[in-house]
Every structure is written in structure tokens, then in C-alpha cells.
Amino acid sequence: MHHYGDVPGEKTITFIWSAVVALYAFGGLIGSISVRYLTSRLGRKGTMLLNSAIAVVATVIMYISKPAYSFELILVARFLNGFGAGLGLNVHAIYLGESSPKKIRGMVTLTVATFLSLGKLAGQFAGLREILGREEWWNILLCVPTVFCVVQLAVLPFFPDAPRYILIEKGNTEQCKKALQCLWGPGDYKLEIEEMAEEQVVIGGEHNKSLLDLVRDKHLRWQVISLLVINGCIQFSGVSAITVFSFNILLEAGIPVDKIRYVTLGIGASEVLVSITCGLFIESVGRRALMWTGFGGMSVIMALITVTLYLKDYSFVIPYITVILIFLFIIFYGGGPAGTSISLANEIFIQSYRPAAFMFIGFLRWLGFAMLGFIFPFLIAALKSLSFVLFSCVCLIAALYAFFILPETKGKTPLEISQEFKNIRACGSSKEDAVCLETKL
């Protein structure tokens, strides 16, 4: 109203609001595909510091947008927040994967999913009406994330860059040893440095391959297919729909409006607890087992949610069964794909292809997020409960792929894992009558 001098038309308001929502996803996409360029120029640590600084700038812009009566500033802040989310999620996972010991690599990289779920829970808690969820405090609510960015800007400079990056890309063995001693404690770490040196020899002078190189390399075909199947299925498994549209889903299930916010808070808390629990088992159970059981459980639960939504009017108990199923869905998701997919992406590529792989994952994640955010409201309006059948089928596809094809990566070096994928062979040609698929699991 301040900008136009009067109440703008409905189409104008809808367009501005759509832009506010879409720019976050667009910024996330740009941030994700920037990870290769920035990490090669600034290193892993430098990129994370830059990302935190951008987030602080975005927060300042968001805060002053209200007293300045400027929705244009909100658009800019949303884009920068999305950029920080896309870049930060990728570089954080890369840094942890390249800094952690092989024996607990899965547990360490899984903390990315743990803190992601913790962030969502913090947002849900801060957004309660009793805390900051009031109309007059919306700009303060959207400034909450900057607290964590300021902490990182204060603490991270005292930590070294990723040891694998220092040795393999920078070629500094002595600095790598100091970084290992800083992160892991006293020791000479001769074996670990030799493993990194072997990978450096294999890579040669070819550092930081592009996304096009990743897709073109026939030796990485199964790794790329695995990323596409696992991450694509995560995006269309229904978890984004449940997270973003939980209010609509619970309202459709018949839960009273005044109770929905507390149910969503419980869902967020369960995701955090399950993610922590998963971290205790990932090194003993393995990535592959957690992956296929998680997706399998999600598939079954989505099918059951379809039934309960259809039968919601038959009994007052049915809506609460739906809530229990949603909790179980989040438990299977947090204990399976949420954490193991990040570990998998870190482990199945050697150093030169890892940033490009995270570019690919980021592209899939944010494109899928934007598509689902646009499609799902129409989907649930048209198909009602049957829309969850689609999610069930997607989860089933991922479970079958993880069970029959995906190799285990637990406790192996990137070169050993690359060999595991090379043992997955589709043998056959136009001259042969039979085509066989071999996999070493």
C-alpha cells in the first residue's frame, strides 16, 4: 500500500507473493551450482565464511524491509537466503566428508541432516504465536538464523581447512598433517596421508571437474545414476510435501486447526531425535541397509496414509492414526535416506568430481523443491488422498534400487568405492540375446 499509494490488485499481490516464495528456491539453485567455483577459489573453509557473511547481509536487508516499507528488499533478502541455504548445505557436507576419519565418516556427515532438522524445528518453535509468530514481529522472526551465522563467523577461523583439500588439491603435505592433528588429535597419520597421496596420483593435475565432465564420464555412470535415483526419489517421496504443506495435510486429515501447530512441532522434534539415533547406527549397520529399509518403510506408510485419508469420516480415531503414520514416515525418512544420502554423495566420488557431484545434487534438490511446491497444492486439490499413492510408488522404486544395485560404502576409501561401482556391469550388446546385470554387494 505504501508503494502503490493504494491497495494493489489481487493479481499484483499474488505475483509479489509468488516471487517471494520462488526467489528462495531460485537462490538455492544458484547457490548449489556455485559450490564448485567457490570451493576451488576460496577453499572449503573460506566458502563457508563467505556464505555466513552473505546470510548476515540478507538478515539485515530483511530486518530493514519493514521500517523501509519495501517489499523489493524482501525479494532481495529471500534470494540471498536461498543462495546461502543452497551453497551452505553443499559446502558443509563436503567439508565434513573431507575432514572426518574413515571409521566415523558416515556418523560425522550425518550431522548435516541432524542440524538441518534441528534448524527446521527451531524455525517451527520460534514461529509459535507465543514466541515470535505474530504479525508485528515477522521481520524479527526471519532474522533468527543469523545467530548461527555469527557464531560460525566467530569460531570457524580457528579451524583448519579440509585435510583432503589441502593435500590433494593444494599439494601441501605438511599443512595437511597439521590440519589432521588439529581435528583428530596428536599422531603422525602416515596411513591416512598415504591414502590421500594415492588418490592425488590417480587424479593427477585434473582438479575440480565440471558438471558436464561428471555426466560425460562413462566410468562414473552408475554413481551418477545412483545420485539421480536416490536424490530424485527423496524429492518426490512426499517428505517435502509433508514438511511444507503439513498444515494442509493435517487439515485434510481432520485435525483441529488450533492443534495443528503443535503436531508439526512434534513432527520436527521426532526428526531430530531419529537423526541423532541414526548417527549411532550408521557405522555398524551400513548406508545401504538404512537406505533401502527407510525407503521401504516410507512406501508402506504412504500407502496407509492414502487409506486413512480416504476413511477419515468413518471414525474420529482415523485422523489420529494419520498423525501417527506421518510421525512414522518422518522416523523412517530421518533414520534412512535423510542422513545416508549425504554420506553416500561424499563417499562415491573421488576428490576431483566431488564438488560437481554436489552441484548435481543441489540442482536436483532445488529444482524438485520448486516443482513440488508449485504442483502439490493442485495435486492434493485434484486427487485428494490418491496423490500419496504416487509418493508411495516413488519410495518403492528407491528401495528396490538400493537393495539390488547400490553397493555398501562403509569403511572404504573413495578409490575402493569407485571399484565397487565398476563391478556393477550391464553386459550385453545387439549381437547377444540376453542382457545380464551383475552387482557386487
Side-chain angles (χ1 to χ4, degrees):
M1 289 176 64
H2 184 271
H3 183 90
Y4 288 98
D6 196 2
V7 179
E10 185 178 344
K11 289 184 178 179
T12 303
I13 293 174
T14 303
F15 176 78
I16 293 172
W17 177 247
S18 298
V20 167
V21 175
L23 277 173
Y24 181 81
F26 180 67
L29 180 62
I30 300 300
S32 293
I33 62 179
S34 302
V35 67
R36 173 178 166 268
Y37 176 82
L38 291 174
T39 53
S40 63
R41 297 296 188 277
L42 304 176
R44 281 50 170 164
K45 186 176 87 168
T47 303
M48 287 194 289
L49 289 171
L50 173 66
N51 190 57
S52 289
I54 291 173
V56 172
V57 171
T59 299
V60 173
I61 294 173
M62 182 64 78
Y63 181 79
I64 65 175
S65 65
K66 184 180 178 181
Y69 292 100
S70 174
F71 66 84
E72 294 89 350
L73 290 179
I74 298 176
L75 296 174
V76 174
R78 286 288 288 176
F79 174 80
L80 291 177
N81 277 325
F83 182 89
L87 176 62
L89 191 59
N90 280 350
V91 72
H92 183 191
I94 293 173
Y95 181 81
L96 291 180
E98 294 180 359
S99 301
S100 53
K102 183 169 61 177
K103 291 182 179 179
I104 58 169
R105 185 175 54 208
M107 185 187 300
V108 172
T109 53
L110 190 140
T111 59
V112 176
T114 303
F115 282 99
L116 182 63
S117 57
L118 190 61
K120 288 189 286 186
L121 177 62
Q124 291 168 342
F125 182 76
L128 289 175
R129 191 174 292 110
E130 295 84 353
I131 312 296
L132 292 174
R134 302 180 187 182
E135 184 176 348
E136 62 271 20
W137 290 350
W138 63 265
N139 60 330
I140 299 175
L141 173 63
L142 293 176
C143 292
V144 169
T146 197
V147 175
F148 305 101
C149 299
V150 171
V151 170
Q152 188 178 62
L153 285 170
V155 173
L156 191 60
F158 297 98
F159 284 79
D161 214 326
R164 298 185 69 83
Y165 167 78
I166 294 171
L167 194 149
I168 297 175
E169 295 195 29
K170 294 300 181 182
N172 193 329
T173 305
E174 190 60 35
Q175 199 67 31
C176 173
K177 185 176 180 180
K178 289 181 180 178
L180 289 172
Q181 290 171 340
C182 176
L183 294 170
W184 300 2
D188 59 2
Y189 303 109
K190 185 178 179 181
L191 181 61
E192 287 80 4
I193 292 174
E194 286 177 356
E195 287 178 356
M196 296 181 202
E198 288 177 11
E199 188 175 338
Q200 186 185 35
V201 170
V202 171
I203 294 171
E206 300 181 355
H207 298 303
N208 291 311
K209 295 282 191 175
S210 68
L211 181 58
L212 196 58
D213 293 330
L214 176 72
V215 176
R216 283 178 173 176
D217 195 330
K218 64 180 182 180
H219 299 296
L220 298 175
R221 184 187 305 137
W222 281 108
Q223 285 97 316
V224 173
I225 291 173
S226 297
L227 282 186
L228 182 61
V229 172
I230 298 302
N231 288 279
C233 288
I234 286 175
Q235 289 306 307
F236 294 97
S237 65
V239 67
S240 296
I242 285 178
T243 302
V244 179
F245 298 101
S246 57
F247 182 88
N248 306 66
I249 294 169
L250 294 170
L251 193 64
E252 176 71 18
I255 302 300
V257 175
D258 60 329
K259 299 292 189 296
I260 289 179
R261 54 181 174 165
Y262 300 109
V263 174
T264 56
L265 198 63
I267 291 171
S270 65
E271 186 177 351
V272 174
L273 293 174
V274 171
S275 182
I276 294 172
T277 306
C278 180
L280 302 176
F281 293 102
I282 190 170
E283 296 298 345
S284 57
V285 177
R287 286 68 157 152
R288 177 174 161 266
L290 289 174
M291 183 77 73
W292 74 259
T293 52
F295 272 120
M298 290 162 66
S299 177
V300 172
I301 291 167
M302 275 298 180
L304 292 174
I305 288 176
T306 305
V307 176
T308 57
L309 287 176
Y310 183 75
L311 299 175
K312 64 176 183 177
D313 296 326
Y314 285 82
S315 173
F316 73 93
V317 178
I318 300 295
Y320 297 97
I321 294 176
T322 304
V323 171
I324 293 171
L325 289 174
I326 291 175
F327 271 86
L328 288 174
F329 180 85
I330 294 298
I331 287 171
F332 274 101
Y333 169 72
T340 53
S341 60
I342 298 172
S343 297
L344 188 71
N346 247 308
E347 294 171 337
I348 64 178
F349 292 98
I350 58 175
Q351 187 78 12
S352 56
Y353 282 102
R354 194 170 292 121
F358 274 91
M359 282 178 63
F360 186 61
I361 293 171
F363 180 79
L364 292 175
R365 179 190 298 123
W366 290 98
L367 183 64
F369 181 77
M371 287 176 61
L372 193 66
F374 181 77
I375 293 171
F376 186 73
F378 299 99
L379 197 66
I380 197 169
L383 299 178
K384 298 292 183 181
S385 61
L386 291 178
S387 59
F388 292 90
V389 174
L390 300 176
F391 297 142
S392 178
C393 293
V394 168
C395 293
L396 181 60
I397 291 170
L400 293 174
Y401 183 88
F403 184 81
F404 288 107
I405 295 178
L406 192 68
E408 180 56 71
T409 60
K410 179 184 67 174
K412 298 174 183 175
T413 66
L415 294 178
E416 291 171 341
I417 295 168
S418 295
Q419 188 58 48
E420 288 282 332
F421 276 96
K422 287 179 183 178
N423 291 332
I424 304 174
R425 294 190 297 274
C427 52
S429 65
S430 58
K431 297 181 181 179
E432 297 173 337
D433 295 324
V435 177
C436 67
L437 181 68
E438 298 178 354
T439 176
K440 180 181 178 182
L441 299 175

